[in-house]
Amino acid sequence: MHGEYKVPGGKLIVVDLNNQHGMLRNVRVAGDFFLEPDEAIHAINGALEGASTDTDAEALAARVEAALPKGSVMYGLTVEGIAVAVRRALAQATDWSDYDWQLIHEPPQTPALHMALDEVLTAEVAAGRRPPTLRVWEWGAPAVIIGSFQSLSNEVDTQAAKRHGMTVVRRISGGGAMFVEPGNTITYSLSVPASLVSGLSFADSYAYLDDWVLGALGDMGIKAWYQPLNDIATDVGKIAGAAQKRIVGPDGGSAAVLHHVTMSYDIDAAKMLQVLRIGREKLSGKGIGSAEKRVDPLRRQTGLPREAIIDRMIDSFRARYGLTTGGITAQELAHAEELVATKFGSWQWTARVQ
């Protein structure tokens, strides 16, 4: 069995092993990390040898920690990362490079249609009818998008949203509210087979699926990191927030993961504070300047046009994993439009949690 895991902000860990009668055998840990002293690698392999295949990641990490020679130095890897690589090997997890990735980047669409497309495209991946997909959104209207379980009345001043011409929609994933204006926001979705995150905890899957965009930002001169549970941040403020949803395929066995991220290119903090109630409470007494520091826009950090940032992100993904330009099929679009009419465009769905 073979498992790989790239430590967020670190190096690649590769584990090869056999499962013999429920025990780990012939364990070999490798990678492009740095480790001192040399014999520490043998201690790591020895610590994992003979462990039960049911051992969870926390217990595997503890075994490795206890076996490391005193004064060992690890750079680019962690005992937790080693444990995750073992669990991914046992789960027969797939890797980014195992797939032919498709890019969807189409003209602006309504907020409700974007919500529906996320559900439809991820379900198509789960069913095996669509390859893993990176979809870059273009917004057709300003909007507030609330999480699946958020209270509409607690989160949004609907009268203020109406005054500013903002549509309020609810997405299928959890998490917090998104304040979106077309020229000020960069949003993308990953629709991936669940096997890509096999062996990862829910929290680890966020970091794993965000790692490529951290590299893209780094290429633009931005030192960014994953901040649990679902943020991307720099030392001058938050850049983005992520959310996820698992979708089961029609056979009940296959599944896919929707991972979508909204990044702030620019921000109208005054308008945001009028529309989002929770923003008012968090920033009470701190003023608009505090809102701008809380979310630090990419425009200010890069000096690049929004379109240039998107192009560089796509180029970075393509260089890492390959990416073929595709599109939404007529059948997928028809299904999404049906969901707009019956679900995402309806008040019953939007206000399902008052």
Side-chain angles (χ1 to χ4, degrees):
M1 293 180 170
H2 179 87
E4 297 185 1
Y5 178 64
K6 184 181 180 298
V7 176
K11 300 293 186 177
L12 180 67
I13 301 172
V14 180
V15 174
D16 291 285
L17 56 84
N18 298 121
N19 178 354
Q20 294 183 2
H21 309 295
M23 308 287 280
L24 302 184
R25 297 296 183 193
N26 304 316
V27 182
R28 299 176 302 282
V29 176
D32 59 351
F33 48 77
F34 300 92
L35 177 64
E36 294 288 349
D38 283 352
E39 56 266 26
I41 193 67
H42 303 300
I44 292 171
N45 291 337
L48 297 169
E49 191 73 22
S52 169
T53 55
D54 293 330
T55 308
D56 64 20
E58 184 178 358
L60 289 170
R63 287 175 70 110
V64 173
E65 184 74 45
L68 284 171
K70 186 176 180 179
S72 293
V73 177
M74 308 171 78
Y75 182 79
L77 82 161
T78 62
V79 294
E80 294 80 11
I82 294 167
V84 168
V86 171
R87 294 307 316 170
R88 283 176 61 76
L90 290 168
Q92 299 183 6
T94 54
D95 187 64
W96 296 85
S97 58
D98 293 332
Y99 299 106
D100 295 323
W101 291 87
Q102 186 175 111
L103 170 68
I104 293 177
H105 189 192
E106 300 204 336
Q109 290 150 329
T110 66
L113 185 59
H114 277 308
M115 303 302 107
L117 285 170
D118 262 358
E119 180 171 325
V120 169
L121 297 179
T122 307
E124 289 296 291
V125 172
R129 293 187 291 264
R130 159 169 286 283
T133 299
L134 167 65
R135 181 170 74 94
V136 179
W137 304 21
E138 294 295 344
W139 292 92
V144 174
I145 300 91
I146 57 176
S148 181
F149 310 106
Q150 286 190 296
S151 161
L152 174 63
S153 58
N154 287 346
E155 300 296 330
V156 185
D157 185 328
T158 54
Q159 291 303 311
K162 186 175 181 179
R163 284 198 310 273
H164 289 294
M166 304 192 81
T167 303
V168 181
V169 292
R170 186 184 295 273
R171 62 181 185 269
I172 60 173
S173 62
M178 299 156 50
F179 176 83
V180 167
E181 293 182 289
N184 289 350
T185 307
I186 297 172
T187 304
Y188 67 86
S189 299
L190 287 170
S191 297
V192 305
S195 58
L196 184 63
V197 295
S198 292
L200 299 177
S201 68
F202 187 73
D204 285 340
S205 71
Y206 274 84
Y208 186 69
L209 294 176
D210 281 339
D211 188 65
W212 74 273
V213 81
L214 298 184
L217 291 169
D219 292 341
M220 288 181 260
I222 299 176
K223 182 176 171 52
W225 58 84
Y226 162 73
Q227 185 168 293
L229 170 65
N230 61 335
D231 288 343
I232 297 173
T234 71
D235 57 359
V236 291
K238 175 180 171 180
I239 287 178
Q244 286 187 8
K245 177 69 176 179
R246 266 66 173 169
I247 293 179
V248 178
D251 60 359
S254 60
V257 176
L258 167 66
H259 179 90
H260 45 200
V261 174
T262 290
M263 313 178 79
S264 173
Y265 174 71
D266 208 341
I267 184 171
D268 186 334
K271 187 186 297 185
M272 181 182 73
L273 291 178
Q274 291 176 40
V275 173
L276 297 184
R277 295 186 189 278
I278 196 70
R280 298 176 193 173
E281 295 172 10
K282 286 182 179 178
L283 298 165
S284 176
K286 299 179 182 178
I288 292 171
S290 183
E292 290 173 333
K293 289 181 78 174
R294 186 177 177 85
V295 179
D296 197 69
L298 286 170
R299 179 186 60 79
R300 185 160 59 201
Q301 294 199 45
T302 65
L304 294 170
R306 174 181 175 274
E307 294 74 15
I309 293 175
I310 291 173
D311 288 344
R312 291 192 185 195
M313 288 170 57
I314 291 171
D315 288 345
S316 180
F317 192 103
R318 182 177 288 115
R320 283 169 172 251
Y321 310 122
L323 192 62
T324 301
T325 301
I328 301 164
T329 68
Q331 184 177 1
E332 289 167 342
L333 181 59
H335 188 188
E337 289 173 337
E338 179 184 352
L339 283 179
V340 169
T342 60
K343 182 177 179 178
F344 294 104
S346 73
W347 181 250
Q348 181 180 10
W349 168 257
T350 302
R352 75 185 186 105
V353 182
Q354 284 278 1

